[in-house]
Amino acid sequence: MAVRDMEHVRIGESGEHMEKKNRAFCATAAIVAGILILAVMEWLGHRRIPFMMDDLWYATNLAADRPLQGLGDVMESQVWHFLNWGGRCVTHGILQLTLMCGELGADMLNMIAALVLGWMVCVTAGWRKPFCFLCASSLIVALNANVKMSMFWQAGTVNYVYSTVWILAFLWPYLRQTEEPEADDLPLVNLWIWPLGLMAGWSNENMGPASLVTALAAVGYLVKGKKRRLKAWMAGGSAACLLGSILVVAAPGNFVRAQAVEKLPLGAFLYERLFSMLRAGADYLFPAALLLAAVLLFWTVCLKERLRPAQWMLLALAVLSYGAMVLSPHYPDRATFGTMVACIALSLSVLKGILAKRRDMEIYAGGMALCYWAYAVYVLAVVQQNG
């Protein structure tokens, strides 16, 4: 009887194990299918939207007013751009290079950038799992204030999707070090942190300086709070980001363009700035802020947990990149893209902690992911239909 009972126990355990494996396989298959469907929809959206608006201007040598013929034309264009139009020479230089690849080549590069961005959100959140990638990719579309102009218009894609990739890549070593102060340096970090820092600072007027402050906060935490030695890559990356931020903000072209803007009385100017910031926060960024507030409240109030230093820095990145736009004469909806991505990365980082402590919340997280994924697919279908 004892032997027979033991056999029944082993059979039962084996059955439970197989059932768990089957559930895990089905869940993974569903996640992979969701990622593929989303990728296909994004690809169709890219193929639907042609070069347009600013793309047509940047497809020319800006100084000589002729079609781009090579790298020399791009360099000449960006010198003229820096002196006469604005400081975003890195993003607009890359934009011109993608335009020279033609629409098919540019669409292929855009898809790669979108996939890399989803992965960099996972890396930044410290959650490198297919489920997190599906959530990140879905949220980037579902919470986006203007999907077409920030992800499918070529100028918008480079200005926001591409630049957010290298901004997160630049900040990753700093955030990683605050999470694991004893961790070894990343391979060859002293070489690649310099160009990434310059590109991050020289990206755009709000995310560049916000990235700089976030990196400096990480350095201050490590050196002052954790008594760690200041490493060459920490100082070098921050210095390069500072240089990039100065170049994008202090470019002579910014002041040339500002002279063409109608000067408003002080009262009207302040009202316009206040209204623009409120509209961005209460309209463009509201869905991302709502998700972030929900997970933060559950984490801090229901679970009585605290944010880790790296999470505080992601929150600072979001707040600073939003607040910096008070200095801009114009705050278009697509300009909230980087702030939205920072909110998504922090939300997923906190969600990972929630699921680690409350496994019973997995069903709710899965339901949330399904809803956001379905809405993202709907948004992409609308983009494809309307063009």
Side-chain angles (χ1 to χ4, degrees), residues 51-282:
F51 292 160
M52 60 182 185
M53 299 167 56
D54 289 5
D55 301 339
L56 306 179
W57 184 51
Y58 282 106
T60 66
N61 182 318
L62 305 182
D65 194 24
R66 64 170 184 266
L68 294 171
Q69 298 176 351
L71 185 59
D73 282 340
V74 174
M75 299 296 293
E76 185 179 2
S77 294
Q78 292 314 309
V79 171
W80 181 93
H81 192 284
F82 184 77
L83 296 175
N84 298 279
W85 193 253
R88 295 189 192 182
C89 299
V90 171
T91 51
H92 288 153
I94 293 175
L95 168 62
Q96 290 191 301
L97 293 175
T98 64
L99 292 169
M100 291 171 62
C101 295
E103 290 190 354
L104 178 60
D107 288 342
M108 294 173 66
L109 293 173
N110 296 342
M111 274 304 305
I112 293 172
L115 293 172
V116 174
L117 177 59
W119 179 245
M120 283 308 305
V121 170
C122 298
V123 171
T124 305
W127 192 8
R128 305 181 198 185
K129 296 291 184 181
F131 177 73
C132 184
F133 184 81
L134 175 65
C135 289
S137 301
S138 301
L139 290 169
I140 288 170
V141 175
L143 304 182
N144 199 322
N146 193 332
V147 174
K148 177 181 176 180
M149 300 304 289
S150 65
M151 295 185 67
F152 296 103
W153 176 38
Q154 188 62 28
T157 303
V158 177
N159 269 287
Y160 303 111
V161 176
Y162 286 48
S163 67
T164 307
V165 169
W166 63 65
I167 285 171
L168 292 183
F170 164 69
L171 289 176
W172 174 45
Y174 293 91
L175 299 176
R176 173 180 176 270
Q177 204 72 36
T178 60
E179 291 284 273
E180 306 172 21
E182 305 294 335
D184 294 333
D185 292 343
L186 292 167
L188 302 178
V189 66
N190 285 301
L191 294 180
W192 52 261
I193 198 67
W194 287 81
L196 274 182
L198 183 64
M199 292 173 69
W202 209 346
S203 56
N204 53 57
E205 293 81 1
N206 65 326
M207 289 299 293
S211 302
L212 171 63
V213 175
T214 304
L216 291 175
V219 172
Y221 169 77
L222 290 166
V223 174
K224 295 294 186 180
K226 291 296 183 179
K227 309 299 181 185
R228 308 302 298 170
R229 178 176 59 86
L230 178 64
K231 298 182 180 181
W233 67 264
M234 297 180 187
S238 301
C241 190
L242 173 61
L243 176 60
S245 298
I246 292 173
L247 289 171
V248 77
V249 172
N254 292 330
F255 302 98
V256 173
R257 289 180 67 188
Q259 292 175 359
V261 177
E262 181 183 359
K263 301 296 187 297
L264 296 174
L266 179 61
F269 173 79
L270 293 177
Y271 172 79
E272 175 65 25
R273 291 291 82 235
L274 177 62
F275 178 77
S276 179
M277 295 299 293
L278 289 176
R279 181 174 57 186

